[in-house]
Amino acid sequence: MNAFKHLLAGASLLALSTSANAAELEVTHWWTSGGEAAAVAEFAKAFEATGNKWIDGAIAGGGSTARPVMISRITGGSPMAATQFNTGRQAEELVEAGLLRDFTELAEKEKWKDVIRPVSLLEGCTVDGKVYCVPVNIHSWQWLWLSNKAFEDAGVPVPTNWDEFVAAGPALEKAGKIPLAIGGQAWQTTGAFNVLIPAIAGKDVFLKVYQDHDAEAAAGPEIAKVFKAADDARRMSAKSNVQDWNQATNLVITGQAGGQIMGDWAQGEFQVAGQVAGEDYTCLPGLGVNELISTGGDSFYFPKLDDPEKTAAQEVLASTMLNPATQVAFNLKKGSVPVRGDVDVSAANDCMKKGLEILAKGDIIPDTNQLNTEDTNNQLNDLFVEFFKTPSLTPEEAQKRYAAIIASAD
């Protein structure tokens, strides 16, 4: 980004800060790991530069723990000023109930449609032609993170794809390593399975299952291959006894585990640990099999408030989050990609550059949160928690239950 753009960005924030009275805004989110905390601090710093005050409302335990708390507060008449949800359908009922602010006027004024890429991110915030949220990043689940040290200790080359990773499992175990680190939270096992689908079965099958809710495809031979891969993942992660995703990432960082299937937010943890992409760790988009990027991420919604000063400050915060300089600062620490297509990302590391190249080619798929309702996601979570914890649950039986969930999906 050239100096003139920076000057304009700064001038825009200054204008916003002087046009609105200072206000304290409570912002709720579930970013509590080291990398996440460093990233969210960039939002807080930029917002406070406008003369307002960021009141941090971090909720530990991840989205599955935080979302019910957030929704309860909004529906119960004690709303925060802004809250994180994953980009997609998680806030649909709140929008339909008229509890969230319409930001269409600000979006048109700042030409969000012209700068947010891909445009599907803004579409995920749009209901009946009105914009109800601010997308702040592009996060992709489609990654396998590998510890170079773990494979060196095991005396085998760092894998270049999923099959090589599975084949290296016995050597890792012999060296005292956990081949695959997966935390105990339900969304992690479901997420891993959903990454295996486009990698093993391909993009078309992924879309048939989650976009078209094609139960026949969910029960078919391609998804059977995915369940075989999930069975391998179950076996390789059997000794992974941590709970949180970042604890699983730490097993990879410290060389105690060979790899982890996790979204690109894991990069923030590697960065905080001082590790260098391509040297200390290796990243395989699409598990090294089918290089695709899912265009999920995070968005902020703004509940309706009675206080006019806080209402005005909500617009300042929304604008600040999409400011070019803020977008770069936040996403470099978060491990995600800016939603603006007009910012300078030359400081990106090797893994982020891989993601940007795939994104530029248009090799993308929607995130499951953009396609599934929370009810469907919760049913999948229940199934995959049981599958990964119960070796006696066969891939064939699990697939039958999976196909039934897809058949009943809205």
Side-chain angles (χ1 to χ4, degrees):
M1 188 192 309
N2 59 38
F4 181 66
K5 281 188 177 180
H6 276 297
L7 183 61
L8 284 178
S12 174
L13 285 179
L14 179 61
L16 284 166
S17 66
T18 57
S19 65
N21 293 323
E24 293 186 350
L25 296 188
E26 181 193 6
V27 185
T28 55
H29 58 87
W30 56 80
W31 290 326
T32 57
S33 75
E36 290 172 329
V40 78
E42 294 295 335
F43 276 156
K45 181 170 66 175
F47 181 58
E48 295 197 342
T50 70
N52 293 288
K53 179 70 174 175
W54 173 289
I55 306 299
D56 199 72
I59 301 172
S64 57
T65 299
R67 279 190 296 274
V69 176
M70 296 164 172
I71 292 169
S72 178
R73 283 190 54 185
I74 296 170
T75 58
S78 180
M80 63 297 290
T83 190
Q84 170 200 9
F85 284 106
N86 292 125
T87 302
R89 303 181 64 181
Q90 291 175 351
E92 270 184 353
E93 293 182 358
L94 295 174
V95 171
E96 291 168 357
L99 296 172
L100 302 177
R101 286 192 61 185
D102 171 4
F103 270 76
T104 307
E105 185 176 343
L106 182 65
E108 291 176 349
K109 177 184 175 183
E110 297 189 346
K111 297 181 170 56
W112 292 0
K113 192 172 183 179
D114 294 339
V115 297
I116 293 176
R117 293 291 180 271
V119 72
S120 60
L121 295 171
L122 189 58
E123 291 170 351
C125 286
T126 304
V127 179
D128 295 331
K130 296 180 179 180
V131 177
Y132 287 93
C133 66
V134 180
V136 296
N137 57 14
I138 301 171
H139 262 319
S140 174
W141 250 103
Q142 316 300 314
W143 297 86
L144 175 61
W145 307 94
L146 302 171
S147 167
N148 291 1
K149 181 181 186 302
F151 289 95
E152 182 181 347
D153 291 348
V156 291
V158 176
T160 62
N161 57 50
W162 175 255
D163 286 343
E164 291 179 6
F165 177 57
V166 173
L172 289 167
E173 290 184 285
K174 187 176 180 181
K177 312 291 183 183
I178 301 166
L180 179 63
I182 297 180
Q185 295 161 323
W187 62 270
Q188 296 183 57
T189 49
T190 304
F193 182 85
N194 289 340
V195 170
L196 287 165
I197 295 177
I200 305 298
K203 176 179 179 178
D204 289 345
V205 173
F206 175 86
L207 292 175
K208 281 183 180 179
V209 170
Y210 286 128
Q211 185 167 274
D212 301 336
H213 301 149
D214 187 331
E216 186 176 339
E222 294 304 313
I223 294 297
K225 295 177 185 176
V226 177
F227 270 94
K228 167 60 172 64
D231 191 32
D232 290 333
R234 174 170 63 176
R235 173 176 46 79
M236 295 172 72
S237 64
K239 294 183 180 179
S240 180
N241 59 1
V242 295
Q243 182 70 9
D244 296 334
W245 71 267
N246 52 305
Q247 293 174 321
T249 306
N250 188 61
L251 292 175
V252 179
I253 290 171
T254 56
Q256 298 176 70
Q260 178 190 25
I261 298 174
M262 186 50 60
D264 49 15
W265 49 90
Q267 286 195 88
E269 302 305 298
F270 286 103
Q271 184 169 305
V272 167
Q275 296 213 330
V276 178
E279 296 180 15
D280 301 304
Y281 66 98
T282 295
C283 54
L284 299 181
L287 309 187
V289 180
N290 192 6
E291 293 192 350
L292 292 167
I293 291 293
S294 56
T295 54
D298 302 287
S299 295
F300 278 83
Y301 289 79
F302 298 80
K304 292 179 179 178
L305 302 176
D306 294 329
D307 187 323
E309 291 185 0
K310 290 185 177 182
T311 296
Q314 285 177 318
E315 295 192 21
V316 178
L317 178 55
S319 185
T320 300
M321 286 176 162
L322 278 180
N323 175 271
T326 310
Q327 274 284 297
V328 173
F330 169 78
N331 282 288
L332 285 179
K333 289 190 175 177
K334 190 69 167 64
S336 47
V337 175
V339 298
R340 294 186 66 117
D342 60 348
V343 297
D344 180 3
V345 288
S346 58
N349 66 27
D350 286 351
C351 291
M352 186 183 287
K353 286 177 179 175
K354 285 183 182 180
L356 287 166
E357 289 170 4
I358 295 168
L359 192 64
K361 293 176 185 175
D363 293 334
I364 60 176
I365 55 175
D367 186 78
T368 52
N369 285 311
Q370 295 168 298
L371 303 173
N372 291 345
T373 64
E374 275 298 276
D375 179 59
T376 297
N377 282 334
N378 288 333
Q379 291 181 60
L380 292 172
N381 287 344
D382 290 344
L383 171 61
F384 287 110
V385 163
E386 184 179 353
F387 179 75
F388 273 80
K389 289 184 176 179
T390 313
S392 61
L393 177 55
T394 66
E396 293 77 15
E397 177 57 31
Q399 185 177 3
K400 289 179 183 177
R401 290 168 56 180
Y402 177 77
I405 292 171
I406 298 304
S408 65
D410 295 331

